[in-house]
């Protein structure tokens, strides 16, 4: 029989009926009717023919196997022996209701890249539906399962491993037998081609299945190399930005801190007629009030104590290009008067100068302040507001752009993966669900910071998990499965109250209780830290910290 790599692999599954989620560790799962999948499978054969349907089914299974393979790699990195970690996949395939797996032979040498595996399958769902729909034939039929085994093992080994079904119930055999080895050892290019990405894409192109839709989605996903989004709010803001790009109209960007106002301003500059000129940005809130005029308009030598050299201001430096006035709502009133005059005359006067200097710049201003309220309270001049408010564009906060989050996450993971020379494969389903559910008060700036830290914490060639997301609460896990497959719930509040009462009545030392609880969890998990952490409802790093603090041995 198949060895048990974990004390209870069913504990990897959690059901949350309240939110409609089923989790396998950090990947989202679905419970589907086998006959519904069978109907889809038959439709593929009827519409595409045997060869192309086979290729699609293999690729679908391959993708599923890759996900479980990532989980097995994670277990191996957590300290599980290679042999035991690999056998997690066959056991999960059984738990997922696909097929019962029995090992015949398994030889793995990761260092040498060697793999040979032989397994027996019984109770295959794919055999059952194939025999029901088509009867017995001359060929094997467990194509999604073959794809799964190949995808799983390829991910575990880090190279393409391909399985063949050498016996199959669909062709009259008593059970199914599969053999897997490194692709090159098969000497069968036609068969190995099924497991390569190209045949799958080629079938879609040959049949033109949704090709136009796929292209249109890709076009909507990324408007530009710097601006990403598909949400209605983003599209509306970007449409206005595009219309303003080809002329010199003054643009006022409105939105909360961190929504990307400077990124919008740079896009406007780089896609307009002044792209070859300078882009000068000034944060009006970051400059001391007594220096803001000198920064904006420049200063002549000897204008004040310490002014040993003449210096051009931001207006002069931006000549022929774009001047971005960020946080314009925090500009002091005295500077607002001079800014309005400069905008009206097209000239600036350096501090201490006798003559004015003309400038030719495009003004883009931005603020997170409600300028209407600032005018009413006397903190912002009405005449300056109307001068700047020629073409306002409101950039929505990230909480109103949840459809844009996956594309932004991809951007940041790619950027910081390159910066830190680290290959990160993306986010687990649970991590992405946590990201989508976070309110993001810091908007895109906060998301970028969280992703940068997550890239550093994630394993190389691995996934970002929910525990890597600083300050982002993971989604509720729901009930866990026991050894019989029954869903167990967390202890109800009255049960917890009873435990607490008994602990206090018996004068149990809190430190002793925590130490004994950690030891019990470790024993029940067979020494596996990740599994023990799941039993305790905490992350593995949190458990490791507590064990070290309490002096509990882990080996």
């Amino acid at each position: 029989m198949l060895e048990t790599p974990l004390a209870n692999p069913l504990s990897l599954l959690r059901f949350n009926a309240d939110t409609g989620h089923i989790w396998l560790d950090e990947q989202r799962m679905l419970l589907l009717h086998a006959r519904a999948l069978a109907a889809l499978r038959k439709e593929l054969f009827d519409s595409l023919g045997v060869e192309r349907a086979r290729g699609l089914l293999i690729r679908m299974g391959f993708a599923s196997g890759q996900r479980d393979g990532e989980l097995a790699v994670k277990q191996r990195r957590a300290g599980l022996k290679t042999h035991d970690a690999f056998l997690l996949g066959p056991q999960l395939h059984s738990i997922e209701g696909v097929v019962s797996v029995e090992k015949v032979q398994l030889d793995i040498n990761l260092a040498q890249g060697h793999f040979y595996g032989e397994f027996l399958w019984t109770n295959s769902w794919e055999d059952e539906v194939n025999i029901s729909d088509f009867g017995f034939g001359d060929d094997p039929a467990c194509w999604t399962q073959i794809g799964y085994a190949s995808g799983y093992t390829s991910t575990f080994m880090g190279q393409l491993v391909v399985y063949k079904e050498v016996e199959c119930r669909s062709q009259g055999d008593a059970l199914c037998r599969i053999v897997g080895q490194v692709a090159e050892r098969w000497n069968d290019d036609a068969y190995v081609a099924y497991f390569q990405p190209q045949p799958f894409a080629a079938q879609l192109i040959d049949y033109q299945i949704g090709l136009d839709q796929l292209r249109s989605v890709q076009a909507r996903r990324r408007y530009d190399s710097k601006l990403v989004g598909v949400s209605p709010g983003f599209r509306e803001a970007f449409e206005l930005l595009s219309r303003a790009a080809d002329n010199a109209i003054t643009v006022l960007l409105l939105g909360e801190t961190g929504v990307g106002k400077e990124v919008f301003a740079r896009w406007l500059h780089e896609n307009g007629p002044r792209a070859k000129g300078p882009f000068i940005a000034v944060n009006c809130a970051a400059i001391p009030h007594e220096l803001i005029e000198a920064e904006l308009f420049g200063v002549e030598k000897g204008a004040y104590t310490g002014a040993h050299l003449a210096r051009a201001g931001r207006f002069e430096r931006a000549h022929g290009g774009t001047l971005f006035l960020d946080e314009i709502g925090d500009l002091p009133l005295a500077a607002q008067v001079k800014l309005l005059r400069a905008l009206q005359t097209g000239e600036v006067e350096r501090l201490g100068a006798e003559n004015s200097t003309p400038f030719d710049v495009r003004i883009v201003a931005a603020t997170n302040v409600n300028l209407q309220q600032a005018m009413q309270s006397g903190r912002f001049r009405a005449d300056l507001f109307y001068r700047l408010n020629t073409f306002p564009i409101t950039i929505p906060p990230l909480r109103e752009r949840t459809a844009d989050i996956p594309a932004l996450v991809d951007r940041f993971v790619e950027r910081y993966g390159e910066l830190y020379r680290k290959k990160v494969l993306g986010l687990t389903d649970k991590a992405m669900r946590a990201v989508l559910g976070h309110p993001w008060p810091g908007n895109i700036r906060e998301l970028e910071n969280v992703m940068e830290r997550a890239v550093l914490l994630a394993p190389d060639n691995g996934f970002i998990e929910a525990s890597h997301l600083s300050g982002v609460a993971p989604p509720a896990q729901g009930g866990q499965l026991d050894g019989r497959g029954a869903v167990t719930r967390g202890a109800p509040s009255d049960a917890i109250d009873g435990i607490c009462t008994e602990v206090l009545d018996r004068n149990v030392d809190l430190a002793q209780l925590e130490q004994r609880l950690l030891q019990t969890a470790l024993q029940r998990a067979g020494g596996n830290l990740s599994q023990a952490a799941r039993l305790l409802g905490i992350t593995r790093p949190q458990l490791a910290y507590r064990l070290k603090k309490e002096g509990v041995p882990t080996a």
Side-chain angles (χ1 to χ4, degrees):
M1 293 298 293
L2 190 66
E3 291 90 343
T4 303
L6 295 176
N8 179 17
L10 286 169
S11 64
L12 295 170
L13 273 174
R14 291 185 177 270
F15 290 75
N16 193 326
D18 296 332
T19 63
H21 289 107
I22 302 173
W23 298 109
L24 175 62
D25 193 44
E26 298 227 350
Q27 304 300 340
R28 185 175 184 177
M29 305 292 289
L30 300 175
L31 273 178
L32 298 174
H33 292 283
R35 285 311 313 177
L37 286 177
L40 174 61
R41 186 178 184 275
K42 187 175 186 301
E43 182 76 19
L44 289 175
F45 278 101
D46 291 343
S47 59
L48 299 181
V50 174
E51 288 301 312
R52 288 185 170 86
R54 179 185 298 163
L56 287 172
L57 292 171
I58 286 175
R59 292 300 303 168
M60 183 175 72
F62 196 94
S64 177
Q66 285 178 304
R67 286 297 190 180
D68 283 357
E70 291 151 7
L71 176 56
V73 171
K74 175 183 172 183
Q75 293 288 331
R76 190 183 73 213
R77 287 171 173 161
L80 202 61
K81 294 180 180 179
T82 299
H83 188 271
D84 291 339
F86 179 84
L87 290 175
L88 177 62
Q91 196 157 21
L92 286 174
H93 218 192
S94 301
I95 290 172
E96 291 161 3
V98 177
V99 66
S100 177
V101 186
E102 181 181 346
K103 183 193 73 173
V104 177
Q105 183 178 347
L106 179 61
D107 299 322
I108 303 177
N109 189 316
L110 289 171
Q112 297 179 6
H114 170 73
F115 179 87
Y116 179 86
E118 185 176 346
F119 300 88
L120 297 179
W121 281 344
T122 55
N123 299 322
S124 162
W125 83 274
E126 201 165 9
D127 264 328
E128 291 176 2
V129 300
N130 190 80
I131 295 170
S132 175
D133 289 337
F134 303 109
F136 292 99
D138 298 327
D139 298 313
C142 302
W143 297 115
T144 57
Q145 295 168 201
I146 282 290
Y148 174 95
S150 301
Y152 176 86
T153 308
S154 296
T155 301
F156 192 89
M157 294 296 298
Q159 60 179 320
L160 182 59
V161 176
V162 170
Y163 283 81
K164 279 189 176 183
E165 195 173 8
V166 296
E167 298 176 34
C168 183
R169 283 194 62 237
S170 290
Q171 57 186 21
D173 296 316
L175 42 67
C176 301
R177 182 185 300 270
I178 64 169
V179 173
Q181 57 186 352
V182 176
E184 291 79 5
R185 296 186 62 85
W186 283 114
N187 295 318
D188 188 347
D189 293 340
Y191 181 75
V192 170
Y194 281 119
F195 301 86
Q196 304 287 355
Q198 183 56 38
F200 177 74
Q203 289 163 21
L204 290 180
I205 294 171
D206 288 345
Y207 275 83
Q208 298 181 350
I209 300 174
L211 186 58
D212 292 338
Q213 291 90 332
L214 288 172
R215 286 174 173 166
S216 65
V217 168
Q218 183 64 23
R220 291 197 306 269
R221 183 177 178 84
R222 184 181 292 254
Y223 279 94
D224 182 81
S225 60
K226 292 187 177 180
L227 292 176
V228 175
V230 295
S231 66
F234 173 85
R235 292 203 303 268
E236 182 180 349
F238 185 82
E239 179 65 24
L240 290 172
L241 194 72
S242 301
R243 293 186 180 186
D246 291 334
N247 52 69
I249 191 170
T250 299
V251 173
L252 178 62
L253 299 173
L254 305 170
E256 298 177 3
T257 297
V259 295
K261 294 187 287 290
E262 183 168 346
V263 178
F264 270 68
R266 286 186 181 275
W267 188 96
L268 191 67
H269 169 74
E270 293 170 1
N271 290 272
R274 297 172 178 265
K276 294 183 179 179
F279 177 88
I280 302 297
V282 54
N283 189 323
C284 300
I287 302 173
H289 287 188
E290 62 271 16
L291 299 179
I292 188 70
E293 293 183 32
E295 284 295 322
L296 289 177
F297 310 120
V299 61
E300 287 292 333
K301 179 180 178 180
Y304 53 80
T305 303
H308 302 300
L309 297 172
R311 179 162 53 88
R314 304 296 178 97
F315 273 88
E316 291 182 65
R317 288 161 56 190
H319 184 75
T322 300
L323 178 62
F324 176 53
L325 299 172
D326 197 10
E327 306 296 353
I328 192 72
D330 294 312
L331 198 65
L333 286 171
Q336 290 180 32
V337 176
K338 292 194 175 183
L339 174 60
L340 176 62
R341 177 172 177 78
L343 296 178
Q344 290 174 333
T345 63
E347 296 179 339
V348 292
E349 187 174 306
R350 294 183 182 181
L351 291 180
E354 297 181 356
N355 299 314
S356 298
T357 302
F359 64 85
D360 175 24
V361 301
R362 178 181 193 164
I363 300 295
V364 179
T367 183
N368 65 343
V369 173
N370 187 320
L371 294 182
Q372 297 278 4
Q373 294 179 358
M375 284 192 300
Q376 294 175 3
S377 63
R379 293 181 291 110
F380 201 83
R381 294 181 60 92
D383 46 7
L384 179 59
F385 169 76
Y386 293 120
R387 184 78 186 186
L388 294 173
N389 198 44
T390 310
F391 199 87
I393 299 175
T394 299
I395 306 172
L398 191 56
R399 62 182 174 274
E400 298 176 9
R401 296 176 52 190
T402 52
D404 300 337
I405 289 178
L408 289 166
V409 166
D410 290 345
R411 158 75 64 78
F412 296 139
V413 169
E414 179 182 355
R415 174 187 299 173
Y416 290 108
E418 293 176 355
L419 179 64
Y420 297 120
R421 298 179 181 178
K422 193 173 188 180
K423 184 178 180 182
V424 178
L425 303 179
L427 274 65
T428 64
D429 294 336
K430 185 174 287 186
M432 182 59 76
R433 179 61 53 183
V435 169
L436 291 172
H438 188 67
W440 298 112
N443 291 295
I444 296 177
R445 184 179 296 128
E446 180 188 2
L447 175 64
E448 182 173 3
N449 291 340
V450 169
M451 287 300 109
E452 181 179 7
R453 182 177 186 272
V455 167
L456 282 174
L457 292 177
D460 198 20
N461 289 305
F463 279 79
I464 293 173
E465 300 177 3
S467 61
H468 300 145
L469 303 174
S470 175
V472 179
Q477 294 190 80
Q480 189 177 11
L481 291 180
D482 62 19
R484 298 181 300 276
V487 180
T488 60
R489 296 284 181 179
S493 58
D494 55 349
I496 295 176
D497 291 341
I499 294 172
C500 292
T501 300
E502 186 173 356
V503 167
L504 294 174
D505 289 345
R506 292 175 178 269
N507 295 318
V508 177
D509 181 73
L510 183 60
Q512 266 189 330
L513 176 63
E514 181 176 1
Q515 188 178 73
R516 182 62 60 85
L517 186 61
L518 296 175
Q519 290 172 334
T520 303
L522 270 177
Q523 291 170 0
R524 184 171 295 185
N528 185 290
L529 290 182
S530 297
Q531 176 66 6
R534 291 190 193 94
L535 293 173
L536 293 167
I538 59 178
T539 65
R540 189 181 188 279
Q542 289 171 331
L543 175 60
Y545 171 78
R546 283 175 167 82
L547 292 172
K548 183 177 180 181
K549 178 183 175 183
E550 297 295 333
V552 178
T554 58

